[in-house]
């Protein structure tokens, strides 16, 4: 099986599994980059080839070597492809076997600052304002913003909600904050189809949404990324309800542990709790 047919076959298999378009596209881009670097058939790749390619990659910012988290994701992407290729008899072996996966340190919440968010929302054009508020007041990822359709916005009768299709095709329902609804209407709600399309009528891709939001924040002197708005949502949501299960469901995470990474606890409350511990020992 030639290289192009191999990648097409893997992509079809991913679609049958019900993976989201954004996940498939991101993996496709990574596998094509791997193929170009090899300049040959991926089935002939060796363990050393994988290590050399990983060492040659830049991190997601385009600067320096990949972070441990990004390097681990690259290995996992290659491993998923080769596991499928070996199962269907297209490749003799998986060259990622034996490649050391770096340990990933537990991340910390990185919410955008309140003042920075206020400025960004106030100065944004209608479309950018809608994107920012969907991320900060509904916790949407860039891919979820790009994939929103008119039918996903239930804004008439009862409690307004957003239907969000997240990672792995998992759907969740998020109450629609009044600011979000106002922003969506100001940006112009279409009668049907995708909410956000380019000037040529084609929908935005997740990477285009990410790049535009990040560029906009940088233009304001804000060093945070688009994902920090999702962290802001999780942090403030937890501050309101103190219930990680609610945070987990509204962020669309599989585990409480993952949800905890987005819910920054109050350092003031933490200090007060520690200082309030009963004294059991003699001075």
């Amino acid at each position: 099986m030639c290289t192009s047919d191999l990648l097409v076959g893997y992509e079809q298999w991913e679609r049958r599994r019900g993976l989201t378009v954004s996940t498939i596209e991101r993996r496709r881009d990574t596998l094509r980059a791997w193929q170009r670097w090899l300049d040959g058939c991926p089935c002939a790749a060796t363990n050393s080839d994988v290590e050399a390619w990983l060492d040659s990659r830049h991190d997601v910012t385009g600067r320096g070597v990949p972070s441990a988290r990004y390097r681990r994701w690259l290995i996992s992407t290659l491993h998923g492809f080769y596991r499928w290729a070996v199962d269907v008899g297209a490749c003799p072996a998986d060259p990622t076997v034996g490649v050391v996966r770096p340990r990933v340190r537990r991340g910390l919440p990185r919410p955008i600052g309140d003042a920075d968010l206020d400025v960004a929302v106030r100065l944004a054009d209608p479309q950018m304002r809608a994107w920012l508020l969907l991320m900060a007041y509904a916790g949407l990822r860039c891919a979820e913003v790009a994939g929103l359709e008119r039918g996903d916005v239930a804004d008439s009768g009862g409690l307004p909600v957003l239907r969000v299709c997240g990672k792995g095709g998992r759907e969740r329902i998020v109450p629609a904050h009044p600011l979000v609804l106002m922003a969506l209407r100001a940006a112009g709600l279409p009668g049907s189809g995708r909410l956000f399309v380019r000037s040529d009528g084609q929908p935005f891709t997740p990477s285009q949404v990410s790049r535009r939001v990040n560029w906009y924040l940088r233009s304001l002197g804000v060093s945070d990324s688009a994902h920090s708005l999702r962290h802001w949502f999780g942090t403030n949501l937890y501050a309101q309800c103190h219930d990680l299960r609610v945070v987990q469901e509204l962020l669309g995470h599989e585990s409480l542990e993952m949800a905890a990474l987005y819910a920054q606890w109050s350092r003031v409350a933490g200090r007060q709790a520690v200082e309030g511990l009963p004294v059991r020992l003699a001075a």
Side-chain angles (χ1 to χ4, degrees), residues 116-127:
D116 288 338
L117 177 59
D118 290 343
V119 170
V121 170
R122 187 173 70 253
L123 298 180
D125 61 44
Q127 179 176 268

Side-chain angles (χ1 to χ4, degrees), residues 138 172-175 230 233 237 245-252:
R172 66 185 188 275
I173 301 297
V174 180
R230 181 169 156 86
F233 176 73
L237 193 63
R245 280 288 293 123
V246 172
V247 177
Q248 177 192 358
E249 289 296 326
L250 293 183
L251 284 174

Side-chain angles (χ1 to χ4, degrees), residues 80-187:
F81 165 72
Y82 279 109
R83 185 174 58 183
W84 168 83
V86 171
D87 286 344
V88 299
C91 290
D94 177 2
T96 67
V97 173
V99 174
V100 177
R101 300 193 181 205
R103 295 183 60 184
V104 178
R105 297 177 60 187
R106 180 177 178 180
L108 295 174
R110 304 182 309 278
I112 189 173
D114 292 346
D116 288 338
L117 177 59
D118 290 343
V119 170
V121 170
R122 187 173 70 253
L123 298 180
D125 61 44
Q127 179 176 268
M128 180 59 67
R129 182 177 296 114
W131 289 2
L132 296 176
L133 291 174
L134 281 167
M135 295 174 184
Y137 281 83
L140 270 63
R141 304 175 176 94
C142 291
E144 294 165 349
V145 171
L148 269 184
E149 298 192 354
R150 181 62 182 94
D152 296 325
V153 182
D155 57 341
S156 59
L159 176 68
V161 297
L162 303 173
R163 181 179 60 196
V164 184
C165 183
K167 289 185 176 180
R170 294 187 298 273
E171 287 191 356
R172 66 185 188 275
I173 301 297
V174 180
H177 192 280
L179 287 178
V180 172
L181 290 178
M182 289 174 58
L184 289 176
R185 289 164 181 159

Side-chain angles (χ1 to χ4, degrees), residues 182-206:
M182 289 174 58
L184 289 176
R185 289 164 181 159
L189 282 170
S192 61
R194 293 287 182 91
L195 291 191
F196 306 109
V197 295
R198 306 189 310 246
S199 57
D200 61 1
Q202 295 299 310
F204 285 98
T205 66

Side-chain angles (χ1 to χ4, degrees), residues 6-278:
L6 197 60
L7 296 182
V8 169
Y10 180 60
E11 189 173 322
Q12 290 175 338
W13 179 75
E14 289 183 305
R15 283 199 294 268
R16 293 186 188 114
R17 288 182 58 206
L19 300 185
T20 61
V21 173
S22 60
T23 297
I24 294 173
E25 289 178 347
R26 189 181 181 197
R27 291 179 178 177
R28 179 205 303 157
D29 292 344
T30 300
L31 291 171
R32 285 178 176 173
W34 164 238
Q35 173 192 341
R36 288 193 299 270
W37 185 89
L38 282 173
D39 194 24
C41 180
C43 290
T46 65
N47 185 275
S48 298
D49 289 330
V50 174
E51 294 282 13
W53 180 69
L54 292 171
D55 292 339
S56 73
R57 300 291 290 171
H58 293 294
D59 65 9
V60 291
T61 67
R63 303 186 298 273
V65 299
S67 64
R69 189 177 300 278
Y70 183 48
R71 188 181 181 97
R72 190 179 181 91
W73 182 85
L74 291 172
I75 296 170
S76 296
T77 299
L78 292 185
H79 175 64
F81 165 72
Y82 279 109
R83 185 174 58 183
W84 168 83
V86 171
D87 286 344
V88 299
C91 290
D94 177 2
T96 67
V97 173
V99 174
V100 177
R101 300 193 181 205
R103 295 183 60 184
V104 178
R105 297 177 60 187
R106 180 177 178 180
L108 295 174
R110 304 182 309 278
I112 189 173
D114 292 346
D116 288 338
L117 177 59
D118 290 343
V119 170
V121 170
R122 187 173 70 253
L123 298 180
D125 61 44
Q127 179 176 268
M128 180 59 67
R129 182 177 296 114
W131 289 2
L132 296 176
L133 291 174
L134 281 167
M135 295 174 184
Y137 281 83
L140 270 63
R141 304 175 176 94
C142 291
E144 294 165 349
V145 171
L148 269 184
E149 298 192 354
R150 181 62 182 94
D152 296 325
V153 182
D155 57 341
S156 59
L159 176 68
V161 297
L162 303 173
R163 181 179 60 196
V164 184
C165 183
K167 289 185 176 180
R170 294 187 298 273
E171 287 191 356
R172 66 185 188 275
I173 301 297
V174 180
H177 192 280
L179 287 178
V180 172
L181 290 178
M182 289 174 58
L184 289 176
R185 289 164 181 159
L189 282 170
S192 61
R194 293 287 182 91
L195 291 191
F196 306 109
V197 295
R198 306 189 310 246
S199 57
D200 61 1
Q202 295 299 310
F204 285 98
T205 66
S207 59
Q208 288 170 337
V209 172
S210 177
R211 285 196 299 269
R212 289 190 178 213
V213 172
N214 289 340
W215 179 88
Y216 173 69
L217 293 175
R218 297 292 183 278
S219 72
L220 299 177
V222 178
S223 60
D224 294 289
S225 67
H227 209 64
S228 64
L229 279 78
R230 181 169 156 86
H231 281 254
W232 188 92
F233 176 73
T235 295
N236 286 276
L237 193 63
Y238 182 72
Q240 289 293 320
C241 66
H242 298 287
D243 188 338
L244 270 181
R245 280 288 293 123
V246 172
V247 177
Q248 177 192 358
E249 289 296 326
L250 293 183
L251 284 174
H253 284 145
E254 287 189 284
S255 67
L256 287 174
E257 182 180 5
M258 181 60 71
L261 301 182
Y262 288 73
Q264 187 175 42
W265 50 275
S266 167
R267 297 185 184 277
V268 173
R271 186 181 70 246
Q272 292 174 343
V274 171
E275 292 175 349
L277 292 173

